[in-house]
Amino acid sequence: MLIRPPVVREMRHDLWVKMTKSGKPASASQQGTPSAAESRISQLKQLGELLASGVLTEEEFAREKARILR
């Protein structure tokens, strides 16, 4: 079990809420309405970044990737 410091857990939670709250990446509202394909690509890129930065675990990444691709 991975134990993260409180600051990292809070940052991880904030990013997760931003990403999942609207079902779209946070920047999508600033760009106007993206097409479904653009939105999926953007979400997948953001997931990859969260995984690479250690915010998401491999399991969380796989679960969210499957959700986006449905």
Side-chain angles (χ1 to χ4, degrees), residues 10 17 21 23 33-34 36 43 54 62:
E10 184 178 331
V17 168
K21 187 173 185 178
T33 306
Q43 288 178 31

Side-chain angles (χ1 to χ4, degrees), residues 2 5 7 13 18 20 25 27 29 31 37 39 44-46 49-52 55 59 66 68 70:
L2 181 65
V7 172
H13 174 74
K18 286 178 186 177
T20 60
S27 63
S29 61
Q31 298 173 354
S39 180
L44 291 171
K45 284 180 181 178
Q46 187 174 19
E49 291 170 4
L50 292 173
L51 177 65
V55 173
E59 182 180 297
I68 291 169
R70 277 188 236 153

Side-chain angles (χ1 to χ4, degrees), residues 6-60:
V7 172
V8 173
R9 285 194 305 261
E10 184 178 331
M11 180 181 75
R12 180 176 182 262
H13 174 74
D14 291 346
L15 287 170
W16 188 259
V17 168
K18 286 178 186 177
M19 190 177 91
T20 60
K21 187 173 185 178
S22 66
K24 297 179 184 174
S27 63
S29 61
Q30 297 168 353
Q31 298 173 354
T33 306
S35 71
E38 290 172 339
S39 180
R40 280 183 173 179
I41 291 169
S42 179
Q43 288 178 31
L44 291 171
K45 284 180 181 178
Q46 187 174 19
L47 271 180
E49 291 170 4
L50 292 173
L51 177 65
S53 68
V55 173
L56 292 179
T57 64
E58 288 285 339
E59 182 180 297
E60 292 167 329

Side-chain angles (χ1 to χ4, degrees), residues 1-5 9:
M1 181 172 161
L2 181 65
I3 299 174
R4 293 184 171 104
R9 285 194 305 261

